[in-house]
Amino acid sequence: MPPHAFFVGSAIFHYLGPSFAVLLFARVPVAGVAWLRIVSAALVFAIWRRPWRAFLAATRQAQWTMVALGGVFAAMNYCFYRAIAALPLGTVAAIEFAGPVALALAGARSARNLGALVLTVCGVYLLTEVRFGGAPQAFAWAFANAVLFTLYIVLAHAVSRADPATSPIDRLGAAMLVAGVAISPLGFRDAVPALLDPVALGAGAAVGISSSVIPYVFDQLAMSRLPRSTYALFVALLPATAVIIGIIVLRQVPSALEMLGVLLVASGVALHRPPA
């Protein structure tokens, strides 16, 4: 399959899974849903790929990269779920792309990247202006998620090409095992009641597979074959994807100003070019 097809699949599941998680918040606390997502994904990778073998066979540098990516997975998902518990999915998705665009400007100062940052900042300003009064703490989680999402792109690219002797999916699985350990102090206590609720447990596992297995595997398959600049261009589809899924699954219909904000962010992401 062409790498672009993997990215389209990733774009769909990247926010489809979290939209199901929002529905699960009525049954399980937010931190508990984050724990269920990461740990269920880690169990899938453990059974499917036995990723510890790739971890032990990798170089020391590759091992540290996998550990770092696992820590980012845990923190990023926790912040993301805290944000979408109070804000529309499309708003949080748009904010998380401010980080990669700013990183591109820092690494490759050009008029193109400066214009991309201006568009993104204007879009984020519109989104925060519309919603900030009602949920200031949620925006703090959303901006923390934006920083972590930037680290995810950098580290996931590094993991996808870290060690030609092992599979990138196995290296991703090793990072997810690390994430399962890292998320436990934050979410295990809130997830305990769900362990005795078959419906919640099954729904949490479904969220994990659709959020942290399918899209991240597709990301690795796309990243290993696409230049970072091309991948960044396709990432511009994600804010729009989040808005569409938010409308269909969660009935989160954005206002005209919010749609304009998302459009500005998507335009900025499409315009920017990360350093080679």
Side-chain angles (χ1 to χ4, degrees):
M1 292 178 63
H4 310 81
F6 289 121
F7 184 84
V8 171
S10 172
I12 293 171
F13 281 97
H14 194 79
Y15 293 112
L16 187 61
S19 70
F20 296 150
V22 172
L23 301 177
L24 188 57
F25 290 160
R27 203 174 185 111
V28 181
V30 175
V33 176
W35 186 87
L36 287 172
R37 167 181 173 167
I38 292 292
V39 171
S40 60
L43 289 174
V44 169
F45 278 112
I47 296 169
W48 174 34
R49 306 293 298 192
R50 295 182 175 86
W52 52 85
R53 297 182 298 186
F55 182 85
L56 295 174
T59 63
R60 182 63 58 86
Q61 182 178 357
Q63 288 175 344
W64 280 113
T65 305
M66 286 180 254
V67 171
L69 180 60
V72 167
F73 273 145
M76 179 178 70
N77 283 286
Y78 183 81
C79 292
F80 181 72
Y81 276 19
R82 286 291 185 187
I84 64 173
L87 294 172
L89 186 62
T91 298
V92 177
I95 290 173
E96 76 180 354
F97 290 100
V101 176
L103 181 66
L105 180 63
R109 295 182 180 87
S110 65
R112 182 188 187 113
N113 279 350
L114 179 60
L117 185 61
V118 170
L119 286 173
T120 305
V121 169
C122 290
V124 170
Y125 173 77
L126 285 179
L127 291 168
T128 54
E129 182 71 12
V130 170
R131 295 275 181 178
F132 188 79
Q137 189 177 29
F139 276 100
W141 291 114
F143 281 105
N145 174 68
V147 174
L148 292 163
F149 183 71
T150 305
L151 290 175
Y152 161 69
I153 290 179
V154 173
L155 290 172
H157 256 284
V159 166
S160 72
R161 303 167 189 231
D163 183 9
T166 57
S167 165
I169 299 177
D170 292 340
R171 297 193 293 273
L172 171 66
M176 196 62 69
L177 292 182
V178 173
V181 175
I183 194 70
S184 292
L186 298 173
F188 176 72
R189 185 177 63 180
D190 287 338
V192 168
L195 300 180
L196 304 176
D197 183 346
V199 174
L201 192 61
V207 167
I209 293 170
S210 60
S211 300
S212 292
V213 177
I214 296 173
Y216 291 152
V217 167
F218 282 176
D219 276 351
Q220 287 296 306
L221 294 172
M223 285 176 175
S224 62
R225 296 166 61 189
L226 285 174
R228 188 179 296 182
S229 59
T230 304
Y231 179 82
L233 179 63
F234 276 96
V235 164
L237 296 172
L238 291 178
T241 305
V243 170
I244 293 170
I245 290 175
I247 293 171
I248 295 173
V249 179
L250 302 175
R251 301 295 188 265
Q252 294 176 343
V253 180
S255 67
L257 275 180
E258 288 174 316
M259 283 298 297
L260 178 59
V262 171
L263 180 61
L264 288 172
V265 171
S267 299
V269 176
L271 182 64
H272 92 289
R273 285 294 178 272

